[in-house]
Amino acid sequence: MLTRLFLPALVAALLAAGPAGAQMARTEAREPVKDMARDGTAKAVPLSKADVQLSFAPVVKRASPSVVNVYASHVDKRSDARTSAMEEFMRRFFGEPEGGRGPRGDRAQRSLGSGVLVDADGLVITNNHVIDNMNEVRIALADRREFEAAIVLRDTRTDLAVLRIKEPPKGLVPMPFGDADALEVGDFVMAIGNPFGVGQTVTQGIVSALARTQVGSADYQYFIQTDAAINPGNSGGALVDLRGQLVGINTAIYSQSGGSHGIGFAIPVGMVKAVVEAARDGAGVVRRPWLGARIQSVTPDIADSMGLDHPTGVLVASLQPKSPADEAGLKRGDLILAVDGQEVADPEAFGYRFALKGVQGQARFGILRGTSRQTVAIKLAPAPESRPRDVLKVKTRSPFLGATLVNTSPAVAEEMQVDFPADGVAVQAVDENSVAARVGLQKGDVILSVNGVPVPTTKDLDRATRNSLNSWEVAINRNGEILTSVFGG
């Protein structure tokens, strides 16, 4: 309504202004706001009705056959098929509720999400949380054909997982990878997935921000933010550019109600490619390079003391002996500004850029040492497992009941993204509602001693917990701080 009221007034004003006014209007129409993308293509604001009526349909037709629905379930088979009279009544007259028992008394949990075909042989990328704890997976193509799928790789650190259709049909259309680094704030993008299980849906929006951190859905905090509507069920679906290329995997939303508030996050395609390549190579895990240095953020005070205009980069706080960082000559106090020419503004950006480099060859760090800018070559190699993990699942009555423990090593420290002492037993996981959880043990804690006796290995800890005691004195290294606590037996 405002546009209709305003337009006649504008036309009248131009007519009153005479030829000069009309010429000005024509000149402005010939000079749209333009910009050049990194790939050399022109970007322009729509000026005419014809421009506004342009459609995204060709992009959707190109991309949508590559987006699939992922149906995952975890079924615990029960040998006793008997069910109570009430359970049988509810099943027959109201149907099997989600997460309940099947007709044979099997216990089932179910999950619904989306995925993207990335290989003509049936390789699919999705979010790990879509298939977490699931043992049966089915893939539904855009044309509604369904196929059983196998879980090829789970990568909890990126919240990504790779599936493979067991008997892939001919004619699968994989989605080509795009370039997330070429995205700019304001670029159009589309989210394709299966929100709320209603079927394949396309939403459109813009890139709201880049390199978002502190989202909390994965270890690597480096996300594309978009206002394209993303809802439950979109997880694992595609974020595509206007060429129909994959630029991200939709993974999280910011919401207090569970619905879309226009703040969605996608994992950049660079990380997606690294996980897919690991699966193609037959790896069960994604191997990432080890730096062997502890880094920290640059505060405004640190930036000012180093003569920087603004806080940027990451500061080397400490080095592990004989690590790639140590052998390359990095020093405490060095400021890492770039990885292979890509600027890193904070520890999250550094972690993302360095993780993409793989475990072969070298990466070149641009650093600031004092007032001198230098380049340092870092050898790319995985963190060594200097001693066997010897996984221990404590089952005897003790403060460690319900905890999974492993021997410390650089490989374990890199996986958990924490610094460990050379000796000790690391807490790898803690079961919910277990004794270990109730006494406050946390993932990443390192057990140093039990009742005054050092426990450098899981075998030592196993021996220390074989007898039931009335009290337990436990020394723990938590993020470099030594805590000693006494627990009841």
Side-chain angles (χ1 to χ4, degrees):
M1 181 61 70
L2 291 175
T3 302
R4 291 178 181 175
L5 291 173
F6 178 74
L7 189 56
L10 176 60
V11 172
L14 290 175
L15 289 175
Q23 179 62 37
M24 179 185 68
R26 288 195 297 270
T27 301
E28 290 179 351
R30 294 194 197 104
E31 298 177 359
V33 178
K34 290 185 176 181
D35 195 5
M36 298 297 292
R38 289 180 55 176
D39 59 3
T41 57
K43 301 180 180 180
V45 175
L47 295 175
S48 67
K49 183 178 180 181
D51 289 341
V52 176
Q53 290 176 331
L54 293 174
S55 173
F56 295 111
V59 181
V60 175
K61 289 179 181 178
R62 185 181 309 133
S64 61
S66 304
V67 181
V68 303
N69 297 339
V70 178
Y71 302 97
S73 61
H74 182 98
V75 180
D76 290 330
K77 300 297 182 181
R78 293 165 58 91
S79 58
D80 183 5
R82 292 174 296 175
T83 57
S84 70
M86 180 58 71
E87 288 173 331
E88 180 65 15
F89 173 83
M90 295 296 289
R91 184 186 68 79
R92 292 179 62 184
F93 289 93
F94 295 97
E96 166 64 12
E98 183 172 345
R101 291 184 180 178
R104 297 183 307 277
D106 299 339
R107 294 188 181 274
Q109 297 175 331
R110 295 181 177 86
S111 175
L112 171 68
S114 306
V116 183
L117 280 163
V118 292
D119 190 293
D121 293 330
L123 217 58
V124 173
I125 188 81
T126 187
N127 280 140
N128 182 65
H129 72 257
V130 171
I131 54 106
D132 191 28
N133 296 322
M134 302 299 167
N135 55 17
E136 295 182 3
V137 181
R138 292 187 66 83
I139 299 294
L141 303 181
D143 61 11
R144 299 186 180 181
R145 288 181 294 168
E146 291 192 12
F147 302 90
E148 290 186 5
I151 300 172
V152 177
L153 186 150
R154 302 174 188 259
D155 189 44
T156 57
R157 296 183 62 184
T158 58
D159 191 26
L160 290 171
V162 180
L163 315 174
R164 185 182 295 279
I165 297 175
K166 291 183 178 180
E167 297 181 3
K170 294 182 179 179
L172 292 178
V173 182
M175 185 176 292
F177 291 133
D179 183 4
D181 289 335
L183 289 176
E184 296 181 301
V185 174
D187 282 351
F188 279 117
V189 287
M190 286 178 291
I192 308 178
N194 182 19
F196 300 109
V198 300
Q200 191 177 93
T201 302
V202 181
T203 54
Q204 171 267 323
I206 63 168
V207 174
S208 305
L210 296 166
R212 281 296 194 215
T213 61
Q214 307 304 319
V215 175
S217 64
D219 285 355
Y220 291 100
Q221 300 287 305
Y222 196 86
F223 296 92
I224 303 166
Q225 182 183 327
T226 177
D227 67 349
I230 297 174
N231 289 289
N234 270 115
S235 291
L239 189 72
V240 303
D241 61 19
L242 294 190
R243 296 176 181 82
Q245 297 177 328
L246 185 69
V247 292
I249 293 295
N250 301 318
T251 190
I253 58 174
Y254 176 81
S255 174
Q256 295 177 337
S257 65
S260 175
H261 287 179
I263 303 178
F265 301 95
I267 301 168
V269 70
M271 188 64 76
V272 174
K273 287 194 286 188
V275 175
V276 170
E277 288 305 315
R280 282 177 175 159
D281 292 341
V285 296
V286 181
R287 302 175 74 204
R288 297 184 174 91
W290 176 50
L291 180 61
R294 185 168 62 86
I295 59 174
Q296 68 180 59
S297 301
V298 177
T299 65
D301 289 341
I302 294 175
D304 185 61
S305 69
M306 301 187 75
L308 300 174
D309 295 333
H310 62 280
T312 187
V314 293
L315 201 64
V316 177
S318 62
L319 297 158
Q320 295 183 32
K322 299 181 180 180
S323 67
D326 181 42
E327 293 176 351
L330 275 180
K331 297 181 179 179
R332 185 175 181 274
D334 284 348
L335 182 66
I336 303 173
L337 298 171
V339 177
D340 281 341
Q342 294 279 1
E343 181 182 345
V344 291
D346 50 42
E348 289 76 18
F350 171 81
Y352 172 78
R353 294 295 176 191
F354 188 55
L356 296 185
K357 294 304 168 183
V359 292
Q360 293 183 341
Q362 291 183 332
R364 303 186 72 81
F365 287 3
I367 69 168
L368 178 66
R369 178 174 294 167
T371 58
S372 173
R373 291 182 180 262
Q374 303 177 26
T375 301
V376 175
I378 302 290
K379 180 182 177 181
L380 299 174
E385 195 145 335
S386 52
R387 56 181 185 158
R389 300 190 183 208
D390 287 340
V391 178
L392 172 65
K393 183 74 173 182
V394 177
K395 297 181 180 179
T396 56
R397 186 72 183 179
S398 73
F400 311 104
L401 181 62
T404 303
L405 303 117
V406 295
N407 291 329
T408 57
S409 71
V412 173
E414 196 273 336
E415 288 175 13
M416 294 191 189
Q417 294 290 280
V418 292
D419 291 327
F420 285 154
D423 291 329
V425 178
V427 178
Q428 187 180 52
V430 178
D431 295 341
E432 292 185 12
N433 302 318
S434 65
V435 173
R438 289 197 294 272
V439 302
L441 285 183
Q442 300 176 11
K443 178 181 177 180
D445 286 348
V446 177
I447 313 302
L448 301 177
S449 66
V450 176
N451 293 326
V453 179
V455 284
T457 69
T458 56
K459 292 180 180 178
D460 296 315
L461 181 60
D462 185 34
R463 282 192 291 268
T465 58
R466 287 179 182 176
N467 298 322
S468 297
L469 302 174
N470 293 326
S471 66
W472 301 81
E473 182 183 287
V474 181
I476 299 171
N477 182 320
R478 179 174 292 172
N479 299 322
E481 183 180 359
I482 308 300
L483 308 174
T484 301
S485 300
V486 177
F487 306 107

